[in-house]
Amino acid sequence: MKKLLFILLPIVSFGANPYLDYLMCAYNRDEKPKEAKAHCIRAVELKATPTLYSDTIRVSIVTNDLKTALNVAQKYKLDHPDTAEPYLHLYHIYSLMNNQEMALKSVEEGLKENPESKEILFFLSEEYLKRGELNKAMELVSRLAKLAPDNPLPHLLMARIYLLQDNQEKAIEHLEKSLLIRRSFEASVITLGNLYEQRKEFSKAEEVYKSALQADPTNKTALERLVNLYTLTNRVKLARETLERLIQYYPDNRAYRFQYSLILIRDKDYIRAEETLSDLYNENKENLEVSFTYGYVLELQDKKEDALRVYEELYSRYPNNDKVLERLGALYMEKGDYGKAREFIEKGLSVNPKNLTLNLMMASLLSELHQEEKALEYVEKSIQIDANNYRPYFLRAIIYDKLGKILEAEKDQKRALELNPDDPDLLNHLGYSLLLWYQSARAEEALDLIKRALEKDEENHAYLDSYGWALYYMGKYTEAYSYLLKAHEKDREDPVILEHIGDVLIKLGERAKALDYYQRALDSLKKGKKGEPNQKERLLEKLNLSP
């Protein structure tokens, strides 16, 4: 008898056991769906529940057994026609089978059986929206809004419908209603904010984001949108303050810290930008964008050797990155190492022959080497690459000026200004060029151009110098002296400014002081400060010295 019991025990323990199958189905469902599938199918055949139906359908889909999934979903629908879930399962399965008509019929049938199902109303309205059946979608969303008056979603859906009908005012009305229900409802915050920004109603967009932040001060989306809005509208200080809040709330987010460094650069706070980028750089030197920007901010602070080290390290990792090659070429040009500069520029052009900046750099390099005709060939290539970019025309004007072709140079400078109107550097350069070419004959015209540049940057020492020089040619020596001194305060070693002050002092009858400024200009040139062509010879003559 004991032996017989032993033989029978395995049958009792391991025979059909729906509870064990249910447990094994649930246990293995996510990690081992293939093992779970057999248990799920046995369990649902013996003791089906809504949860078991759903689990069996899911593991069947995951194991690509759509036929079993469909059979189980149909049985689920027969057993529970008054719930939304089987119809939604059927929609998903038919969609995977690329049977879109049966997918749609499944949820339409589900709505007939469950006319107040919020899930089906939402799902079917979304489907009608995708199909462009806006009237059907609107009818369902209206029903959904009545069933869920405290839910912002129906108003968002209604706004989407009105946007598809090109009715922005009604869309805005419903988006505002959704935000009255929940101020920080993300989809509506983004949609309404975007809409106001597209309409250039920036203050209204700002209010949408600020209202969301009143409900949730740490709302990432609202803070991010505010940063972008402030940047777009050139409110750099506010963008900076908002990013500081984001960094305070989310200190481990490197993207925010990097964006903060860009805002600091835009705000000309290069010291803080360098500090931020230095930390990011040391955390991850392989990040191309961070490393490149770090090198750039070092350049902005005239830390050229430090920048060069950063770019060279980048070059060792990314030897074919044309942007890195650009910066290496530019820095070696500034050092006067034209051989090294040419090496990097030529490599960059071999990587990307249509790189506009590299073609212009090669033209500039050749011009420095007094190979103007060859330089012009690269300028022509640049114009072919982008005929609507002002830079090739500006560089060609400089080369024409060196060749003594001032009419062509003036024409190209004006073309550059047409393409980039109101650029202060272009305005100043054309104004100063007119003074060099025509002196007092076109001084008033030059003064007007330089004045427009100064209006955009009244502290720029080059613009102040040009303005003073225009006044000099107009015979207004005292006023010219005042502007030249202001320029000198901004850059005390600029040899051109120093020489201009000396020339004005000569006109004011102060020869001894003038000679002192001429000597200081000459000393500055000897230190390596960049002046004008033939300036050294000009100064020696004024000082009555031999070369």
Side-chain angles (χ1 to χ4, degrees):
M1 191 71 183
K2 288 180 182 179
K3 186 176 181 181
L4 181 61
L5 181 61
F6 178 77
I7 292 170
L8 290 174
L9 271 174
I11 297 172
V12 174
S13 301
F14 297 100
N17 186 336
Y19 181 69
L20 178 63
D21 281 323
Y22 174 81
L23 288 176
M24 295 302 291
C25 172
Y27 181 75
N28 290 314
R29 177 188 59 206
D30 298 321
E31 298 295 328
K32 300 176 181 178
K34 287 185 179 180
E35 293 182 22
K37 181 180 169 185
H39 292 288
C40 292
I41 290 172
R42 280 201 300 270
V44 83
E45 286 174 351
L46 293 171
K47 192 176 179 66
T49 65
T51 300
L52 257 177
Y53 273 127
S54 292
D55 285 347
T56 306
I57 291 165
R58 289 190 185 105
V59 295
S60 298
I61 290 172
V62 169
T63 56
N64 294 314
D65 187 355
L66 296 182
K67 183 178 179 181
T68 297
L70 182 60
N71 290 334
V72 175
Q74 288 171 334
K75 189 172 185 298
Y76 186 8
K77 181 185 76 171
L78 290 173
D79 287 351
H80 299 278
D82 55 346
T83 62
E85 197 166 21
Y87 302 98
L88 298 178
H89 279 308
L90 283 166
Y91 173 86
H92 183 47
I93 295 163
Y94 280 124
S95 295
L96 290 172
M97 291 177 163
N98 292 318
N99 191 338
Q100 302 306 323
E101 290 310 309
M102 284 302 297
L104 180 62
K105 285 180 181 178
S106 297
V107 281
E108 287 178 333
E109 181 188 353
L111 187 61
K112 287 178 184 176
E113 297 293 333
N114 303 273
E116 294 192 354
S117 167
K118 297 172 189 174
E119 293 89 347
I120 293 179
L121 280 167
F122 167 69
F123 204 88
L124 191 52
S125 62
E126 280 275 9
E127 183 61 27
Y128 285 143
L129 268 172
K130 284 190 282 185
R131 290 168 174 257
E133 298 181 44
L134 302 185
N135 290 334
K136 287 184 179 180
M138 187 175 286
E139 188 267 327
L140 295 185
V141 173
S142 297
R143 286 166 60 182
L144 182 60
K146 290 176 183 176
L147 289 169
D150 295 329
N151 192 319
L153 184 58
H155 289 292
L156 173 66
L157 292 173
M158 196 65 82
R160 286 175 56 195
I161 293 168
Y162 280 119
L163 285 173
L164 288 169
Q165 293 176 336
D166 203 25
N167 189 339
Q168 288 191 359
E169 299 306 323
K170 290 294 290 184
I172 288 171
E173 179 185 322
H174 279 279
L175 288 167
E176 288 177 341
K177 284 180 180 178
S178 75
L179 291 174
L180 284 173
I181 295 169
R182 193 186 307 161
R183 283 188 294 178
S184 60
F185 185 53
E186 186 169 298
S188 290
V189 168
I190 292 171
T191 306
L192 184 55
N194 272 340
L195 197 51
Y196 280 139
E197 287 182 34
Q198 290 167 11
R199 290 156 62 104
K200 309 295 183 187
E201 297 178 39
F202 299 121
S203 59
K204 289 184 178 180
E206 185 178 0
E207 285 306 311
V208 170
Y209 306 140
K210 284 183 173 179
S211 178
L213 287 170
Q214 286 175 359
D216 176 12
T218 65
N219 186 302
K220 288 172 72 172
T221 299
L223 287 165
E224 288 170 356
R225 304 289 301 188
L226 268 180
V227 170
N228 293 336
L229 177 65
Y230 290 144
T231 304
L232 176 68
T233 54
N234 205 31
R235 289 181 281 175
V236 179
K237 299 291 184 188
L238 287 171
R240 179 172 172 168
E241 290 169 7
T242 310
L243 266 169
E244 286 168 355
R245 285 177 63 185
L246 271 169
I247 293 167
Q248 179 187 349
Y249 296 140
Y250 308 101
D252 295 329
N253 190 308
R254 289 180 179 172
Y256 293 152
R257 289 157 62 201
F258 179 64
Q259 191 177 4
Y260 183 57
S261 73
L262 298 179
I263 289 294
L264 290 170
I265 291 171
R266 190 165 172 177
D267 201 24
K268 297 185 178 179
D269 189 347
Y270 303 136
I271 295 173
R272 288 283 300 279
E274 182 189 344
E275 290 171 358
T276 304
L277 286 163
S278 177
D279 290 340
L280 289 168
Y281 175 71
N282 289 321
E283 288 170 19
N284 184 9
K285 291 186 177 182
E286 294 187 3
N287 186 301
L288 174 60
E289 197 171 20
V290 168
S291 298
F292 188 86
T293 310
Y294 181 44
Y296 176 65
V297 82
L298 290 169
E299 282 192 74
L300 290 173
Q301 297 178 89
D302 208 28
K303 298 180 180 181
K304 302 296 171 64
E305 292 300 323
D306 292 336
L308 197 57
R309 280 192 289 273
V310 172
Y311 293 136
E312 284 177 336
E313 191 167 348
L314 262 181
Y315 176 64
S316 69
R317 292 191 177 94
Y318 306 96
N320 293 317
N321 185 288
D322 56 340
K323 297 300 180 186
V324 174
L325 291 164
E326 277 178 23
R327 297 318 312 145
L328 285 167
L331 284 174
Y332 277 112
M333 275 183 70
E334 286 189 38
K335 289 181 69 170
D337 189 342
Y338 296 135
K340 196 78 172 171
R342 188 165 190 163
E343 177 186 326
F344 284 115
I345 295 168
E346 286 179 342
K347 180 167 184 182
L349 286 171
S350 71
V351 171
N352 183 4
K354 292 189 176 181
N355 181 307
L356 178 69
T357 299
L358 285 168
N359 276 283
L360 291 173
M361 286 173 65
M362 181 59 83
S364 183
L365 175 62
L366 291 167
S367 178
E368 288 291 327
L369 296 172
H370 306 293
Q371 299 177 35
E372 281 78 12
E373 295 302 328
K374 189 70 176 174
L376 287 172
E377 292 178 16
Y378 280 92
V379 173
E380 292 302 328
K381 286 181 185 178
S382 302
I383 292 172
Q384 289 173 15
I385 292 167
D386 186 357
N388 293 316
N389 191 298
Y390 77 93
R391 292 187 295 160
Y393 301 98
F394 183 62
L395 179 55
R396 189 166 67 180
I398 293 170
I399 296 170
Y400 279 147
D401 188 15
K402 287 179 69 175
L403 293 170
K405 298 180 179 181
I406 62 173
L407 294 178
E408 291 89 341
E410 182 178 349
K411 180 181 176 183
D412 269 344
Q413 282 204 51
K414 287 182 175 177
R415 177 61 178 149
L417 200 50
E418 284 174 13
L419 292 169
N420 196 24
D422 299 323
D423 182 296
D425 284 336
L426 295 180
L427 288 164
N428 178 67
H429 198 279
L430 178 55
Y432 190 71
S433 295
L434 293 176
L435 295 173
L436 292 178
W437 297 332
Y438 301 105
Q439 299 180 355
S440 60
R442 295 178 69 178
E444 289 191 12
E445 183 183 348
L447 187 76
D448 180 62
L449 289 164
I450 299 161
K451 183 179 180 182
R452 286 165 58 192
L454 264 177
E455 286 169 354
K456 297 179 182 301
D457 186 358
E458 60 186 19
E459 298 298 316
N460 188 294
H461 71 278
Y463 305 167
L464 289 165
D465 172 69
S466 297
Y467 197 78
W469 200 232
L471 292 170
Y472 169 86
Y473 277 117
M474 294 169 70
K476 300 179 180 181
Y477 304 123
T478 303
E479 195 176 350
Y481 184 55
S482 173
Y483 274 93
L484 291 169
L485 286 180
K486 286 180 184 177
H488 180 51
E489 287 173 8
K490 307 294 180 186
D491 188 342
R492 304 193 73 83
E493 293 191 0
D494 186 300
V496 176
I497 296 172
L498 290 165
E499 184 183 6
H500 285 168
I501 293 174
D503 289 345
V504 170
L505 287 168
I506 290 290
K507 293 293 185 181
L508 293 172
E510 298 190 44
R511 180 173 175 77
K513 286 179 68 176
L515 292 174
D516 178 59
Y517 275 97
Y518 290 150
Q519 185 61 54
R520 287 163 63 184
L522 186 61
D523 293 342
S524 185
L525 286 172
K526 289 177 180 178
K527 290 178 186 176
K529 291 288 184 177
K530 193 166 184 178
E532 293 179 343
N534 305 315
Q535 188 181 7
K536 181 180 177 182
E537 292 76 15
R538 200 166 62 224
L539 286 165
L540 288 170
E541 186 178 338
K542 290 175 181 179
L543 288 164
N544 292 318
L545 297 174
S546 300

